[in-house]
Amino acid sequence: MILITGGLGFIGTHTARALLDLGESVVLVQRRAPEVTAPLAGQADGRLVVEQADLTDRAALLGLGDRHKITGIVHLAGSVPWPPGADEPVEGVRKSVAGLLNVFHAAAEWQVSRLGLASTIGVYGGVEAPSPLAEDLPLPMTAHHPIPTFKKIGELVAGHLAGATGLDVVNLRIGAIWGPLGHPRSPFFVLPQLVHAAVRGEVPDLTSPAWGANAEDGGDLCYVKDCGRAIALLQVADRLRHRTYNVAGGRMTTNGEVAEAIGRAVPGARVELREGRDPAGPGRDLHLDITRLREDTGFEPAYDTASGIADYVSWLRAGNAR
């Protein structure tokens, strides 16, 4: 069975669904009281197990191995002291590091075949190379936000412990992910609020994110079902040739393209974007190279912008809007 931390979260749910579709069995671990969501409901063949455990409690985590034969781990649960104020700063860092190290401890004790660790597109912040950005680019030893800060730390720790323990560890640099079960607003890109506002028949509030809401702004936007499938394929691949993989759409998507797709899915939607680029933004296209992912797993995105938004709108209209 493959254990997924944060397995009932946004990306975790879709990763679990993809693994089940590939014939795998999964154990989903959640810190809060677990509640199976619609994409996983009705899985009655015994291949889906839900457990509640706090990753900072090593004994509780290791106890999962007493109840289940765990052969792999996908670590998606938050390992970042975020949002601000959730804990006293030093305590927040302690919990983040403890959870990550406990996952490594469990992986070594259970002798899992592979440990996948969620990282982020944000680690490329400050890289001056032109897009698409490949995994072997050198990263600056700085970060503008706690999420890429702690993901860089996690990647460095992963490299050390993989060498010291012999574990097969894979860093998953995940792009800007959107779709069913995601938050209706993102502090990093504007697509979610554009879609939710259109379904509600409202004019979108473009005050968040702080920049990047103009028509020619955008980034590597990947539909969550594709993201979950990519992670699942990396987890079950017989052999991977690299330690780090970009998990993304592999192309630039502008807000203008998003608005056009919304207009087709929701005729009459009032998507009013500012023209050009936001002068406070990076001033360039930014997307990731997914050649490694394609070559080692055969992955290809199943959703483009139009089909993803149509699917998301249908999901929201089915009563899932927040």
Side-chain angles (χ1 to χ4, degrees):
M1 303 184 83
I2 297 173
L3 182 145
I4 307 175
T5 70
L8 291 173
F10 174 38
I11 295 175
T13 295
H14 292 279
T15 301
R17 181 69 267 166
L19 284 166
L20 290 167
D21 291 344
L22 290 171
E24 300 292 329
S25 299
V26 295
V27 181
L28 310 184
V29 182
Q30 200 76 11
R31 180 170 57 86
R32 291 180 289 274
E35 179 180 349
V36 175
T37 52
L40 299 175
Q43 191 73 35
D45 60 1
R47 293 191 298 124
L48 171 66
V49 178
V50 179
E51 295 272 9
Q52 183 175 7
D54 188 330
L55 298 183
T56 64
D57 184 340
R58 181 183 294 182
L61 178 59
L62 293 177
L64 301 177
D66 297 331
R67 299 191 290 277
H68 311 287
K69 177 58 178 175
I70 296 170
T71 57
I73 299 175
V74 181
H75 182 35
L76 300 176
S79 57
V80 175
W82 181 260
D87 287 293
E88 184 275 331
V90 175
E91 178 64 10
V93 171
R94 187 196 67 79
K95 288 181 178 179
S96 298
V97 174
L100 177 64
L101 295 179
N102 285 345
V103 168
F104 268 98
H105 187 99
E109 181 158 310
W110 299 333
Q111 297 184 328
V112 301
S113 60
R114 182 167 294 142
L115 168 58
L117 295 176
S119 186
T120 174
I121 188 175
V123 300
Y124 292 107
V127 173
E128 298 298 330
S131 291
L133 302 180
E135 295 91 340
D136 56 0
L137 286 168
L139 304 180
M141 289 296 293
T142 57
H144 65 284
H145 190 277
I147 292 177
T149 296
F150 279 83
K151 294 305 184 183
K152 286 184 179 182
I153 292 170
E155 288 193 15
L156 289 169
V157 169
H160 166 69
L161 290 177
T165 64
L167 286 169
D168 181 2
V169 181
V170 178
N171 298 312
L172 311 168
R173 291 183 180 166
I174 299 172
I177 310 303
W178 59 280
L181 302 177
H183 291 295
R185 299 182 67 84
S186 168
F188 306 113
F189 63 110
V190 76
L191 183 151
Q193 49 260 53
L194 293 182
V195 176
H196 280 256
V199 171
R200 294 193 302 264
E202 300 173 357
V203 175
D205 176 6
L206 300 182
T207 59
S208 175
W211 55 264
N214 290 26
E216 293 182 17
D217 295 321
D220 196 320
L221 309 182
C222 180
Y223 198 51
V224 68
K225 293 182 181 180
D226 281 334
C227 174
R229 185 165 56 86
I231 294 172
L233 289 171
L234 285 166
Q235 185 63 31
V236 303
D238 289 337
R239 176 177 175 268
L240 295 176
R241 295 178 296 168
H242 305 281
R243 172 68 48 77
T244 302
Y245 289 82
N246 290 331
V247 177
R251 61 187 176 86
M252 173 71 179
T253 301
T254 67
N255 294 332
E257 293 176 63
V258 171
E260 183 180 346
I262 291 173
R264 292 197 294 270
V266 186
R270 301 164 64 191
V271 184
E272 302 170 3
L273 297 173
R274 295 181 290 270
E275 294 183 357
R277 292 181 184 267
D278 188 336
R284 66 186 182 116
D285 297 343
L286 181 64
H287 65 281
L288 302 185
D289 186 339
I290 59 171
T291 300
R292 286 184 179 181
L293 175 63
R294 285 187 165 111
E295 291 181 346
D296 285 9
T297 70
F299 170 82
E300 288 294 339
Y303 292 86
D304 60 14
T305 305
S307 60
I309 284 177
D311 187 69
Y312 193 17
V313 167
S314 295
W315 182 81
L316 291 170
R317 284 177 166 170
N320 298 298
R322 298 188 186 186

